[in-house]
Amino acid sequence: METTAPLLELHHVAKRFGGIQALSDIDFDVRRGEVHALVGENGAGKSTMMKILAGVIPDYEGEMVWQGRTVRLKNPRHALDLGIAMIHQELSVMPELTVAENIFLGRQPLSGGVVDWPRIFREAEAILAELGFAHVNVREPLERYPLGVHQLTEIARALTSGAELIIMDEPTSALSPMETRHLLELTRNLARAGKAVVYISHFLEEVTWVADRVTVLRDGRKIATLEAGATDKQELVRLMLGKEAAFFEESYMGGRTVVDRHAASEPVLVVEGLTRPRTFTDVRLELHPGEILGLYGLIGSGHFELGEAVYGLLKPAAGRILLEGRPVGVGPRRAIDRGVAYVPPSRRTGLFLEKPIYQNVTLPWLAQISGLVPQIPREVAVTDEVIRRVGVRPPDPLKEVVFLSGGNQQKVAIARWLVEPPKVFVVSEPTRGMDVGAKEEVMKILRELSQAGVGVLLISSEPETVLAASERILVMAKGRIVREFVGETVTKEQLLHAAAGELAEAR
Amino acid sequence: MANEPHDSPNPSGRWRTFLAKSREFAPVWTLLALILFFSVYSDSFLTLENAANILNQVALLAIMGTGITFVLLTAQIDLSVSYMATFAGVVAAYYTAGHLPQPWPIVAALLAAGALGWINGVGTARLGIPSFMVTLAMSLIASGLSLYLTRGRILFDLPPLSETLGSGRILGVKWLVIVAALTLLVGHLVLKYTRFGRYVYMTGANPKAAELAGVNTRGVVTAVMVIGALTAGLAGVVGIGRLGSATPTAFDGMLIDAIGAVVLGGTSLFGGVGGIPQTIVGLLILGVLRNGLDQVSVDIYMKTLITGVILLAALVFNILFAGRKEA
Amino acid sequence: MANEPHDSPNPSGRWRTFLAKSREFAPVWTLLALILFFSVYSDSFLTLENAANILNQVALLAIMGTGITFVLLTAQIDLSVSYMATFAGVVAAYYTAGHLPQPWPIVAALLAAGALGWINGVGTARLGIPSFMVTLAMSLIASGLSLYLTRGRILFDLPPLSETLGSGRILGVKWLVIVAALTLLVGHLVLKYTRFGRYVYMTGANPKAAELAGVNTRGVVTAVMVIGALTAGLAGVVGIGRLGSATPTAFDGMLIDAIGAVVLGGTSLFGGVGGIPQTIVGLLILGVLRNGLDQVSVDIYMKTLITGVILLAALVFNILFAGRKEA
Amino acid sequence: MGKPDLSRRKFMIQSALASMGIVAGPAFLQTVRAAEGKNRPLKAAFSNAGLQATWCAQGKDTVEQWGEWLGVEIHWYDGQLDVAKQRAAVDAMAAKDWDFVAIQSLSIGSLVEPVQKMIDKGIPVIAMDTMLAPWGKIKQHTFIAPDNVWMAEQVTQALVDAIGGKGNIVMTQGSLGHTGAQGRAQGFYNVVKRYPDIKVIDESPADWDVAKVAQLWENLLNRYKKIDAAFFHNDDMALAAYHVIKNAGRENEIVLGGIDGMPPAVQAVLDGKLHATARNSSARIHWGALVAGYYAAMLKEQPGKDIPEFILADGPAILPPSKEKTDKPWLLKGYGIGAGPGLLWQEKHFLA
Ligand SMILES: Nc1ncnc2c1ncn2[C@@H]1O[C@H](COP(=O)(O)OP(=O)(O)OP(=O)(O)O)[C@@H](O)[C@H]1O
Ligand SMILES: Nc1ncnc2c1ncn2[C@@H]1O[C@H](COP(=O)(O)OP(=O)(O)OP(=O)(O)O)[C@@H](O)[C@H]1O
Ligand SMILES: [Mg+2]
Ligand SMILES: [Mg+2]
């Protein structure tokens, strides 16, 4: 297959952060016309490696060769000038600016020396339409739109950059299956047009579908580079984890049988006729103790907002939310005290990145753990226990969250609520950005909680996540609950159909 | 912040657009309310002459405010602007008294201010000292230089250009107002229609992301501090013409008003949000407030108090229109 | 911000720990360097008496600075503190002159300051007006009230407690210094060892996340503005004792020094980072700088300039130790 | 400036003493000469409100020149127009030993503690311009000051005379909390209340800030179509307002008066821009303090015994030369010539 010389090569690249060897002795290459996937556990070093390619990390050991010439990137501008664009895992958008401008960040087109606004708007509309987001008004500030649109603007930015090499670091983590599918096709088209793409994802299905070659990283080392056609998910997982592992996606691939074992018990949470303009309409549901209720919907269907409402963050215009028969009231504090726990869909929203893990974990529980005067050793001990339970790596309560890899940050957000098991646990996208192993761990935790009597409301736009643990599944679309699956075998396709009607197809 | 629900309670599209617009224009309503208020309480307020007066009075603030808008948009602050203005005025007068041929005293004044602004920029952007502290030190340096050059005296020899721009008229309009309008206009065009202007917004909105998008954020911050100093210098050079003299503290007291006007208009201290149109509204609000209180007869011992109360009322009023923002 | 590379060039663990520590303590090194500098250039600087002097001089700043530390930690600002201090001093003297029995004038002063602080808090936290603007308006209100109460006159009848705390000594130590030390101590204990203190940090670090974790962030911000006002009030009540009179502008000029000292120590204007130990170092740096320049013979017309230059040098020095931070 | 010869120096000293109203006997002069021979320079500390103010800067130059002549080493502690900063400066001053100190306090009572400390150490403390504390609260050496009430009365009277005892008058005040400003306001009222046809139409403060003056006066000019006279609490404000008034083309309508008699203002009187200013002699107060301190240090003059508790630094109103032609000039104020040029000469030579 040595038709072309590699567009880019890495030789013996290594990088350490303080005490952590994030990468060691990496050899890697990307060719024109290929999609090269990069997989590995959380913290394996994928993002670090790509940041070196994109000029974000200028101090590393080893050599980088671009189009046959050795280069040493100084900064992102340098990389962009060479033709390397990156979609970052941690969204790097500017919510205050318009959607259009976010797409043209840093390279606003000029005409006659001045910024050509009409062209910006025109082209932004065109590319979003191509990505299936024609309904977005590109003249509005990005902050008016949900996370998926934020991610999309980043993708659009990279796609329109004209770069030779486009790096996508978990580009689909906030996208719905249709949008993902659009993106994957676009990605293939890019490769066909002679560009090179490095594609990072924890969705091995996407990887095997889109990639020509796959490189597996583990603990900062390259384990293997394989032809995508000559491998399968099992092999990839084995290489990633370094062992045979129960592979949770398998558990539902044939569909998941949902059974409602709790219908007889008193519901712990009752939502009645909940309505809020532009958000949701007449939503009703019941959650029983010990039950895991899946709530599936496409981005923008109101399911995340429903979670917020249960936690007291959104005031409904009509309807009631009853916890053990009494209204939950307004504000997170009351919700927490009444036994509601909540994980928001975006970890950035819920975490204090610059603060140590233990402060992130214990903040809701300061009163319980240590009364008026915080006692740090007790906080640390409590934190140590819960982060070990969810498998945060490294399990050091004193470490600042910002130094954890993306997936491990997400685990911290969940670990917080294990300090005092809640009565109702509302989790939105609990496994976003997690590797296959970690996803399974989180699902295990949710199952354990439910077995201990916690009612879990599992909200997601990833069918896999909902299918992995739910005992009953509700589907929301356009702010309404459109379907309930109970006592039957549900497949991903069914979920998609229910959520989007005829639009849905398997990806 | 992402995924945060937005409360737009109304479903009708047109009404929503109107509401959104009126929110954006909240400071304009506040301004109108103030104008109404003073028109009722004073008969000399709502006259053409007084309108011209208000423009004269905010002109210097406007020149400084243009630079401050740039600075705040990048989430920095500049506490030295008013002292820079004084300093530039002193330099211009000092070299005029020293018989340097015109227009070199003015050039020297602007260069000197620009140089101090560059130090602000390097301290902030390269060394990473909080701009609050660098510019605080710079305010002492600028103020110290003014004192040192004048040795406490007032300088009355001014560049003729300063006199013209500060006190002269053309077609019945004060040059001062024209200079201010041009400064604002140039500022607006730069911010809105040049790449540099967009980089300013990007740097303020999310410096890390701006860097990832290839923006030389350090360069932008440095440039912005220089712009802040240059507009301050211009204000000083024109301002001495308005006052007819250069004193070692002439414009020092304008600091809080200048930053206040920009913030009042709606430009955020946390960067990325705002612009020159907002600054203009803020300037007018402040100008009307200060002017209006000179047009009504109030107990002089209550004037400061009343100014404060009306300002607070205006802020609350503003919020009623704009809707509650993040604390 | 996430995943930002950190340059720790040295692999040895112990050396790294030392470096990290020395970075955290950068302002302490700066302080020591300043002390060394002035000790060399003045023989009256490094004396016990002068050390006591420095403590006296920063005592009022320290009392105010304690409250400001709380305010900055939540990413707010308070531009009214120094005017509040003046106002509280005026209230205490006014009611003393009005023969209200002691200690009620002092109680009234603190309550009045607290009430204004509460308005600051409501404006900021409930209404969402930027604290810069609310407290700017409040500075006019406080200042206006001082002027209104005194009608411009100086009040010489002071509460005896103010006189004792402001000028008295116990065991050779000024009460003023003791009050300041206690205020700092209480502030430190509250910030570090109470739940509320943790909430203050977390609210500043990420208000949205704090809210999600059940922190009543509006309540925290309101409380913090009240604390800022109360410590300012305390500074005023004690301060009039130090000055021997209450004037309608007594402490107004301390604003920039008070905020400056807190920022200089390392408390961020963007919230979540800093604390009382940092404030103490910042206060001492400022105190040493101002005092030291009074101890050496410099051309008095150059003093402001030199103050600025040394402050700038200290900031740069600081950064050399601390390593570059985000611009 | 070259070193003045000895005889001139003596002349200076004598005229200084004379104008302070102290009878200088031959014995005193002998001792002074002896002191000159002693060769140990005296060390004195001065603190003023803030060198940004012309008046203070003039005083500093004066003291330095006279200090050189008298062999006194001067150390300066600037108040930087800020009560707290002046307090810190005077605290630092009090930590050292001096032969004497002279202080212009920004605010009455704000420096009592360090001043008391110096007095307790036996250092003579001379108050300049503003009282250090209310009478009796502190045992200062002496207090040399102008009479604010009187100066304002003179200038206001001159303005009232110029407009014929009737019309609209404005007073632009310094800062309301300033005792000097309060005295000047008092003097103003003392005069205008005697004229029922004079209407005070505005008395807003401008806090000694020239930028604020410009603002205020633009508004006043807009609000009042007829303003006959304006009294300013100092010359800097008067000159700034003059500029605004002239731009509005109303300089012939409004008669202006200030206070301080600083050279630019005296010149403005001569040029007809201002109608009057009062000599608030910075030089006089400063060298007066220096000489008083000198006597205290060298000849141990005792407060209240050898030197009175208050020394007035008087100053006449400076008016333009009389327009009247007369062959009996001795009947006219200032011989009809006006005090301006003479004052300018004295100021240049650190006398007044
Ligand atoms: N700025 C940093 N400082 C210290 N350690 C870091 C930093 N950035 C990354 N690391 C560490 O380097 C390792 C690799 O992180 P990296 O982000 O590359 O992982 P990843 O493979 O992208 O994981 P994920 O799938 O969770 O995104 C992790 O152990 C992480 O904690
Ligand atoms: N700073 C900006 N960032 C992003 N988009 C902008 C910016 N300024 C303007 N726009 C967008 O550009 C579009 C056209 O701008 P333009 O100024 O031409 O028209 P406008 O909406 O009438 O604004 P204005 O009346 O303020 O000039 C607007 O709809 C606005 O959303
Ligand atoms: Mg990653
Ligand atoms: Mg337009």
Side-chain angles (χ1 to χ4, degrees), chain A residues 46-48 89 169-170 405-406, chain C residues 3:
Chain A
K46 305 180 294 294
S47 296
T48 304
Q89 177 179 13
D169 194 350
E170 301 192 30
S405 79
Chain C
N3 272 17

Side-chain angles (χ1 to χ4, degrees), chain C residues 67-68 71 78 80-81 84-85 88 109-110 112-118 120 223-235:
Chain C
I68 295 173
V71 173
D78 191 341
S80 64
V81 273
M84 293 258 194
L110 294 178
L116 295 189
W118 182 78
N120 278 342
V224 148
M225 300 308 282
V226 172
I227 290 173
L230 284 178
T231 55
L234 180 61

Side-chain angles (χ1 to χ4, degrees), chain A residues 205-226:
Chain A
E205 254 180 285
E206 291 176 11
V207 166
T208 45
W209 191 87
V210 79
D212 299 298
R213 290 192 297 164
V214 184
T215 292
V216 183
L217 290 188
R218 190 194 327 143
D219 295 335
R221 295 179 181 279
K222 184 168 112 172
I223 300 304
T225 297
L226 313 160

